[in-house]
Amino acid sequence: MPLVTTTEMFKKAYDGGYAIGAFNVNNMEIVQAITEACREEKAPVILQVSKGARAYANHTYLVKLVEAAVIECPEIPVALHLDHGDSFETCKSCIDGGFTSVMIDASSKPFAENIEITRKVVEYAHDHGVVVEAELGALAGVEDEVNVSAEDSHYTRPEEVEEFVAKTGCDSLAIAIGTSHGAYKFKPGTNPQLRFDILEEVSKKLPNFPIVLHGSSSVPQEYVKMVNENGGKMPGAIGVPEEQLRHAAELSVCKINIDSDLRLAMTGTIRKFFNEHPDKFDPREYLKPARANIKELVRHKLVDVLGCAGKA
Ligand code: G3H
Ligand code: 13P
Ligand code: ZN
């Protein structure tokens, strides 16, 4: 099956009480690990590419890697999505360059400006058969050059969502309910708790409308330990409890973004490999176990967290 948009995926996910995993891809091993797990678990998937990924790996390489995965996994629906598009130009370049979905993230701009930029992207995208994710509210954490401090972050205001969606025509909406980007989401010793009251208010105002959660890594302590025991230093790395993500997926959340967990699995595995084999220097030898561990982590997300296994 060729690359698809997220329209059908989200409709089924909304009605079925599960979410689609949106995993960030930066190289061949990560694309392979994600799509092999999805193929084996018969799960639809969103492969997403950030501005940083395009700068690192090059747009064409990433598109061709994803196209290769589509050929290798013909049974599962795959969408190719731009993560955190920062301007109309970046979105246009991805729409023209083979993506089936783009995010315009103008959430740091004033409300009216966010509407104006998002509407412009939606008009161009829809004319080209591409769907658009927009964002209201500001998540804390680091994404590319944008570093939103905890003080500058704010929850989505439910009273704004109807007007925003009506005026922009966006196809899905990312909201801020307490998740954040990166590996340090909550202070050690505190009780991580997403604001389900905000999610429910938003869903009441936007019935049948797909909601997106960014910053949804759970920061598996097994991999934090592996990093720390093998020369790394990541004290106090804490993520979103998986039961809360599962609950969000049962509600109106149709897309859950996971990147940091895959990075941790890769880094922990490679650090451990080098610690145990200081004489080895063939990249295939350390990338192979890293890829295998990412695959198993993705499988766990599909089956136990997102609930999308068997839904392809
Ligand atoms: O939200 C951001 C994603 O984790 C991508 O991160 O901008 O470092 O590629 P990146
Ligand atoms: P994490 O940093 O929690 O993996 O979030 C990823 C994300 O939101 C990508 O847009
Ligand atoms: Zn994000």
Side-chain angles (χ1 to χ4, degrees):
M1 147 184 356
L3 280 172
V4 298
T5 72
T6 54
T7 308
E8 187 72 13
M9 285 184 192
F10 286 168
K11 193 184 171 335
K12 288 186 181 163
Y14 196 102
D15 293 343
Y18 62 90
I20 311 295
F23 302 100
N24 288 70
V25 297
N26 290 277
N27 63 21
M28 181 188 76
E29 286 75 12
I30 298 174
V31 171
Q32 289 175 328
I34 298 163
T35 52
E36 281 176 21
C38 291
R39 190 189 63 214
E40 286 174 16
E41 295 301 331
K42 299 182 175 42
V45 68
I46 299 167
L47 299 177
Q48 54 185 18
V49 166
S50 69
K51 188 182 169 203
R54 289 174 89 225
Y56 169 75
N58 170 303
H59 175 95
T60 310
Y61 276 92
L62 290 168
V63 171
K64 295 297 166 192
L65 282 173
V66 170
E67 285 175 2
V70 167
I71 291 169
E72 290 296 318
C73 308
E75 322 85 345
I76 57 166
V78 180
L80 175 55
H81 173 78
L82 168 67
D83 190 27
H84 294 285
D86 60 343
S87 63
F88 174 78
E89 287 68 30
T90 306
C91 292
K92 181 178 182 300
S93 144
C94 289
I95 293 164
D96 295 345
F99 284 45
T100 55
S101 172
V102 295
M103 174 188 193
I104 173 69
D105 181 358
S107 59
S108 61
K109 306 267 194 296
F111 186 66
E113 212 178 314
N114 188 353
I115 290 179
E116 195 183 323
I117 298 169
T118 302
R119 189 172 51 203
K120 187 171 170 198
V121 172
V122 168
E123 277 167 14
Y124 189 80
H126 286 183
D127 276 351
H128 293 78
V130 169
V131 290
V132 179
E133 173 186 328
E135 178 166 334
L136 261 184
L139 273 69
V142 185
E143 20 173 287
D144 273 337
E145 304 96 60
V146 187
N147 186 349
V148 182
S149 69
E151 303 80 66
D152 289 336
S153 69
H154 61 83
Y155 295 118
T156 302
R157 298 180 191 97
E159 60 275 20
E160 291 181 347
V161 299
E162 261 176 302
E163 181 185 348
F164 185 83
V165 170
K167 287 193 171 159
T168 61
C170 66
D171 302 280
S172 61
L173 183 68
I175 63 168
I177 59 166
T179 62
S180 59
H181 291 104
Y184 303 90
K185 301 186 190 298
F186 299 97
K187 292 219 163 60
T190 59
N191 188 22
Q193 182 57 58
L194 299 185
R195 290 287 303 274
F196 284 104
D197 56 323
I198 298 178
L199 175 60
E200 280 172 21
E201 276 297 298
V202 168
S203 312
K204 263 187 223 152
K205 298 199 182 279
L206 298 174
N208 292 311
F209 193 81
I211 301 300
V212 177
L213 284 190
H214 280 248
S216 296
S217 275
S218 295
V219 190
Q221 292 303 301
E222 165 203 358
Y223 284 117
V224 174
K225 194 162 169 264
M226 199 182 285
V227 166
N228 289 338
E229 284 178 354
N230 291 282
K233 214 177 204 176
M234 298 187 67
I238 294 175
V240 183
E242 288 187 336
E243 319 77 69
Q244 295 189 29
L245 294 172
R246 182 74 206 96
H247 183 50
E250 283 162 2
L251 303 173
S252 54
V253 171
C254 294
K255 173 175 181 270
I256 293 190
N257 286 12
I258 298 173
D259 183 16
S260 298
D261 284 356
L262 309 195
R263 294 180 180 194
L264 261 176
M266 182 162 230
T267 303
T269 308
I270 292 173
R271 277 191 177 280
K272 183 164 179 275
F273 180 93
F274 280 135
N275 222 4
E276 290 171 355
H277 306 281
D279 57 322
K280 303 266 192 194
F281 67 101
D282 182 341
R284 292 171 299 186
E285 289 189 80
Y286 57 85
L287 290 173
K288 201 170 167 185
R291 181 174 60 189
N293 280 348
I294 295 174
K295 180 176 169 182
E296 288 320 303
L297 183 60
V298 170
R299 189 195 306 284
H300 160 67
K301 300 283 178 186
L302 303 174
V303 174
D304 303 317
V305 182
L306 302 158
C308 60
K311 308 293 187 187

